Amino acid sequence: MSSLVDQSALSDLAERLVGAARRAGADQADAVAVRSISLSVEVRDGAVEESQRSEGDDVGLRVLVGHKQAAVSTNDVRGDGVDALVERAVAMARAAPDDKFAGLADPALLAHAFPDLDLLDPAVPGVDVLEARAQAAEAAALDVKGVSKSGGASASAGIGGMVLVTSTGFRGATIGSRHSVSMSAIAGSGTGMEQDYDFSSTLHATDLEGADKIGRTAGERAVERLNPRKVTTRRVPVVFDWRVSGSLIGHLVSAANGASVARKTSFLREKLGQRIFAPGIDIIDDPLRPRGQRSRAFDAEGVVTRKLKIVEDGVLKSWLLDCATARELELQTTGHAQRGVSSVPYPGPSNLYLQAGEPSPDQLIADIADGFYVTDLIGMGVNLVTGDYSRGAAGFWIENGKRTYPVSEVTIAGQLGEMFASLKPANDLSFRYGTNAPTLRVEGLTVAGL
């Protein structure tokens, strides 16, 4: 494990790549080197179905010859592999079309301080610990009255490190851990079976929810879904449970992504500086959150990161930008570049969340005489060019301010601009995912059923 935490070898490799690229004729270059280890166990009916261990080294190189760029990757990090990677990258760049917006970050924007964001739990548990977690989750689910069988439980842990080196002088490294436990439970029998799940994923093992709680919640959710009804098509308020509400914020940020704006494929492209939510709504991206799921002190171009209000008091204040999209839009990068080892940088969020409101979830639905409470979303029927929204859904019908019977096989439809304008948040924000939101209420969506 010490070899994984020690990133000096990764740094040396990235340095070698960048130096070799410059010697081979590249005007600029940057290299990403990644190393990871992971363990996972899957359990069903008390027995281990699968146990996996994986370790890997990957390296990616981006080179620029003038305004021509190319990105290549390999997992062969020995001498011959590195030399071949450089030769291929420079040859590809020379043959590529010009991209006047391509280039490394301005050195003035690069990160120089690297705050400790507490991302690493260095103790990777053994297979026996993971097996015990998965078995505890499954046993708790099967103890729930009405649960008929296990859909499987799993537990995993791992550590991953990344190094970025650029020809403009940036040297940065990050390393983090991941622990998770999940359970899928099945209730009922025959054609009346229903399935649901719960999981917990954290950077530190001490932050994981208890396996017993994960299993019990999965079982209770599955039982709640038994005997679902159909509903007739109508236009009603729709409440998104916090498990799925983050998807609405994800749609907002996809439309506010600089790449979509530059391509003119976003329905928000003319909305910067305008009110798109009700007053009081704040949507924030915070890459510096301690123990955050996607925290980072620098982005994939080495640019220093900072907390950013994308929406402030209901007003759209910023796009998410990397250097290339910022140049195209004649703006400055927001430090949101992401990158795989085989790709050029592109914009994307870090720890994204919608600030909680004041009412509790019960208060949020208390005045709804007829409505729909969504716990599951299916499909990806969202058009970010027009803002049209249509997705399959399941959940519970709301009658006289209370969740009542389960509902399945319906479609909810609306227009994202109108949905954002009517959105109201509850006070139950929790930071379980990379994108988080509290329970959200949206007015006047069409629920299409019978």
Side-chain angles (χ1 to χ4, degrees):
M1 191 56 60
S2 60
S3 62
L4 183 67
V5 175
D6 179 3
Q7 294 175 286
S8 57
L10 287 181
S11 297
D12 292 344
L13 175 60
E15 293 269 10
R16 285 171 51 208
L17 278 168
V18 170
R22 291 300 307 277
R23 290 190 297 273
D27 296 315
Q28 294 183 314
D30 61 11
V32 175
V34 176
R35 178 173 297 160
S36 63
I37 180 173
S38 64
L39 300 170
S40 64
V41 173
E42 295 184 12
V43 167
R44 191 187 301 267
D45 298 328
V48 175
E49 277 200 330
E50 188 173 19
S51 178
Q52 290 188 340
R53 176 187 176 93
S54 63
E55 296 185 35
D57 291 325
D58 293 283
V59 62
L61 175 67
R62 178 172 60 135
V63 302
L64 292 106
V65 178
H67 287 289
K68 303 172 184 287
Q69 74 173 341
V72 295
S73 66
T74 185
N75 57 11
D76 180 2
V77 296
R78 293 166 296 183
D80 292 345
V82 168
D83 294 340
L85 188 74
V86 171
E87 292 176 6
R88 186 165 83 250
V90 173
M92 288 172 60
R94 285 176 173 150
D98 274 336
D99 180 353
K100 63 181 179 180
F101 304 115
L104 302 190
D106 183 337
L109 301 177
L110 298 175
H112 297 289
F114 304 100
D116 180 7
L117 301 176
D118 198 12
L119 308 181
L120 177 64
D121 179 351
V124 176
V127 172
D128 55 338
V129 174
L130 299 180
E131 183 179 334
R133 287 176 186 168
Q135 289 178 331
E138 183 178 58
L142 292 172
D143 278 346
V144 175
K145 184 178 180 180
V147 171
S148 54
K149 60 192 302 186
S150 169
S154 66
S156 65
I159 290 179
M162 182 273 283
V163 167
L164 173 66
V165 172
T166 77
S167 60
T168 50
F170 179 81
R171 307 290 184 272
T174 183
I175 189 166
S177 50
R178 181 77 60 183
H179 299 260
S180 70
V181 59
S182 66
M183 174 63 201
S184 174
I186 299 170
S189 60
T191 59
M193 290 192 295
E194 295 290 337
Q195 186 168 353
D196 214 318
Y197 69 94
D198 195 22
F199 77 95
S200 178
S201 177
T202 61
L203 274 64
H204 289 249
T206 54
D207 294 334
L208 271 178
E209 289 193 30
D212 290 352
K213 182 177 184 295
I214 294 296
R216 185 169 59 253
T217 302
E220 290 169 350
R221 286 174 175 168
V223 172
E224 281 184 327
R225 296 178 63 147
L226 287 172
N227 304 312
R229 304 185 197 175
K230 304 291 192 296
V231 294
T232 57
T233 297
R234 64 192 84 176
R235 189 175 171 87
V236 294
V238 172
V239 178
F240 293 80
D241 183 79
W242 64 267
R243 284 203 294 167
V244 296
S245 59
S247 64
L248 295 181
I249 312 311
H251 299 322
L252 175 279
V253 169
S254 293
N257 186 298
S260 298
V261 175
R263 290 194 303 264
K264 297 181 171 55
T265 57
S266 168
F267 75 99
L268 294 178
R269 64 186 180 277
E270 305 294 338
K271 299 293 186 181
L272 192 64
Q274 297 182 27
R275 182 173 301 283
I276 60 172
F277 289 87
I281 298 293
D282 289 339
I283 297 176
I284 300 163
D285 188 86
D286 184 8
L288 300 177
R289 179 179 178 83
R291 297 195 181 191
Q293 296 276 351
R294 299 194 293 233
S295 294
R296 57 201 186 204
F298 58 90
D299 75 354
E301 295 177 293
V303 174
V304 65
T305 59
R306 59 186 175 87
K307 190 174 182 178
L308 175 70
K309 284 193 174 181
I310 301 166
V311 173
E312 184 174 10
D313 196 27
V315 175
L316 180 61
K317 303 290 284 188
S318 178
W319 309 126
L320 292 187
L321 301 170
D322 65 352
C323 288
T325 56
R327 294 184 190 109
E328 188 168 359
L329 296 170
E330 298 183 346
L331 297 168
Q332 181 170 294
T333 177
T334 57
H336 281 88
Q338 297 183 353
R339 172 180 182 185
V341 292
S342 59
S343 69
V344 299
Y346 55 92
S350 62
N351 301 307
L352 179 70
Y353 65 97
L354 187 149
Q355 192 65 264
E358 295 183 0
S360 68
D362 287 343
Q363 291 170 331
L364 199 67
I365 68 174
D367 66 341
I368 298 178
D370 197 37
F372 184 38
Y373 189 98
V374 179
T375 58
D376 285 276
L377 290 167
I378 305 163
M380 295 299 295
V382 180
N383 187 329
L384 293 178
V385 179
T386 63
D388 292 336
Y389 180 94
S390 178
R391 297 191 66 179
F396 299 87
W397 203 250
I398 301 170
E399 290 182 340
N400 300 318
K402 302 289 185 183
R403 285 187 4 170
T404 55
Y405 53 85
V407 170
S408 65
E409 298 181 12
V410 299
T411 299
I412 54 176
Q415 209 283 333
L416 283 173
E418 297 173 359
M419 293 166 67
F420 292 159
S422 71
L423 183 147
K424 297 178 183 176
N427 64 358
D428 59 339
L429 175 67
S430 62
F431 293 93
R432 291 186 55 163
Y433 313 126
T435 297
N436 297 282
T439 299
L440 299 175
R441 172 173 170 172
V442 175
E443 304 300 323
L445 294 187
T446 298
V447 177
L450 295 173

